[in-house]
Amino acid sequence: MSAPQATRTTALHAGAWWLWALGLATAASRTTNPLLLGLLVGVAGYVVAVRRTDAPWARSYGAFVKLGLVVIAIRLVFGVVLGTPVPGTHTLFTLPEVPLPDWAQGVRLGGRVTAEGMLFTLYEGLKLATLLICVGAANALASPARLLKSLPGALYEAGVAVVVAMTFAPNLVADVQRLRAARRLRGRPDRGFKALLQVGLPVLEGALERSVALAAAMDARGYGRSAQVPRAVRHTTSALTLGGLLGICAGTYGLLGGTGGGYGLPLLLGGLAAALGGLWLGGRRSVRTRYRPERWGPRACLVAGSGIAVAAAMIWASAYAPAALHPPAVPLTAPVLPLWPAAAVLLGLLPAIVAPAPPPAVASASASASAHEESVKHGKQRKYETYEKLETYEKHERHENERHKKEPTQ
């Protein structure tokens, strides 16, 4: 199945991208194997590279990667200063230890830093960084506006708040890039602490302007209004939604935990049914209509299914082969790439094949350049035609004036 060109009607559903990314993030939460985590990052990065568009939110993936590196560095610093629960025999260096009171037992500042403790800290930092990168992939691939259109009516108000929060990082990155480019055009430095301080105020001003414009747009569109429904329906909706969400949380905890496999799945299914019923009843209060509703097609099912398959395979592998997904830090051993979990992670590359391809940047640039040349050509042609008309008019005026001078006056 060849991927078509992404247009307004063939673009992939935003929820499919989020399900795919959350599936990869779930798989990353089940392992500390650096080879599997690196493979997950590579899968997410490749799909983003071949399927993201030129929209402003698509530029946020690099910022999430840098944030992941910062998280790893902070986790290592905490491991050096505060220590780790992993005992080790290979001492790297020793810091001066600060004595703490008796009520702070189990916590230390300074002391011996071992290679085993640093390896354990690195594995945990890689897991956190991979989770952030998977979320960044969803931000770079899914349009926040299209995701908001896909939410049920009962979640519209909460969805607006969530979408605004999710678009904060992409808009911030776009503003910083725009201001840095403007500083480079003016011959000013765009790197360093001083340049960062000078860019910070315009970025804050742009954020405030966007918030004011967003508030005006929401007010003009009647944000927050609802239809009148009976009190019994409201109470039933609240009970079903709250009970369903609690059931989903308890069922998910039971499935992810090692001891709740028996009751996890029934609770999860019951919670989903109750939550869907509550959302359906809550949608009756919404008076909002949809223009061109988002369609969930076969390609969206394949993309979302690939992420869910990766998560399910990793959960199964963590239950039956935990040693392969969690390499020990004591003793020091090189991690080994398990075959079947690695093959399951490669299922996450399916969106790079079935998802609609974005329009190529070269083609769009050449098209815009040709359109510009065509407009310039037509402008010059209109200018020449105007000049010719003006010259013809002036010739006609001169001819009339000469004729009037030659005629005898009556």
Side-chain angles (χ1 to χ4, degrees), residues 108-303:
R108 69 175 180 86
L109 291 176
R112 194 166 59 95
V113 179
T114 62
E116 291 84 355
M118 287 294 95
L119 188 62
F120 174 79
T121 304
L122 178 62
Y123 288 169
E124 294 295 328
L126 282 174
K127 180 197 289 189
L128 294 176
T130 306
L131 292 174
L132 286 173
I133 290 173
C134 292
V135 174
N139 274 280
L141 293 170
S143 169
R146 297 175 73 94
L147 181 62
L148 182 62
K149 287 176 60 177
S150 306
L151 289 177
L155 296 178
Y156 178 70
E157 285 79 8
V160 170
V162 172
V163 169
V164 170
M166 287 191 307
T167 56
F168 172 75
N171 287 330
L172 185 67
V173 172
D175 284 348
V176 171
Q177 291 179 349
R178 176 175 57 82
L179 291 170
R180 289 181 61 186
R183 289 182 64 85
R184 285 195 299 268
L185 290 175
R186 293 181 175 92
R188 299 175 182 175
D190 62 328
R191 297 182 183 275
F193 184 72
K194 184 178 179 181
L196 181 62
L197 292 178
Q198 294 177 353
V199 167
L201 185 59
V203 169
L204 179 61
E205 183 182 357
L208 292 176
E209 289 178 356
R210 279 198 307 272
S211 64
V212 172
L214 178 62
M218 291 167 62
D219 185 50
R221 288 169 174 81
Y223 177 79
R225 58 178 181 173
S226 59
Q228 295 294 330
V229 294
R231 176 180 291 184
V233 175
R234 293 202 304 269
H235 291 170
T236 305
T237 301
S238 302
L240 286 176
T241 304
L242 182 60
L245 292 178
L246 290 177
I248 291 173
C249 293
T252 304
Y253 178 79
L255 286 178
L256 296 180
T259 60
Y263 65 84
L265 185 59
L267 273 177
L268 180 61
L269 295 179
L272 283 174
L276 290 177
L279 292 178
W280 178 76
L281 288 176
R284 297 172 60 183
R285 299 182 59 192
S286 176
V287 294
R288 184 175 60 95
T289 58
R290 285 190 178 93
Y291 176 67
R292 291 181 180 177
E294 298 292 320
R295 299 184 182 276
W296 188 281
R299 297 181 185 275
C301 293
L302 290 175
V303 171

Side-chain angles (χ1 to χ4, degrees), residues 19-20 23-24 300-311 344-345 347-351:
L19 287 177
W20 168 80
L24 296 185
C301 293
L302 290 175
V303 171
S306 64
I308 295 173
V310 172
V345 170
L347 291 175
L349 291 173
L350 187 62

Side-chain angles (χ1 to χ4, degrees), residues 60-140:
S60 62
Y61 182 73
F64 278 91
V65 173
K66 295 176 182 177
L67 182 61
L69 296 176
V70 171
V71 167
I72 294 175
I74 293 175
R75 188 69 178 87
L76 289 174
V77 171
F78 281 177
V80 170
V81 176
L82 301 177
T84 59
V86 177
T89 57
H90 298 78
T91 302
L92 298 178
F93 52 88
T94 303
L95 296 176
E97 188 169 356
V98 179
L100 297 176
D102 296 336
W103 54 267
Q105 291 183 359
V107 180
R108 69 175 180 86
L109 291 176
R112 194 166 59 95
V113 179
T114 62
E116 291 84 355
M118 287 294 95
L119 188 62
F120 174 79
T121 304
L122 178 62
Y123 288 169
E124 294 295 328
L126 282 174
K127 180 197 289 189
L128 294 176
T130 306
L131 292 174
L132 286 173
I133 290 173
C134 292
V135 174
N139 274 280

Side-chain angles (χ1 to χ4, degrees), residues 393-404:
Y393 176 75
E394 290 178 350
K395 288 181 179 179
H396 177 71
E397 286 292 322
R398 287 197 299 268
H399 178 71
E400 288 293 327
N401 291 333
E402 291 177 357
R403 187 171 63 83
H404 282 296

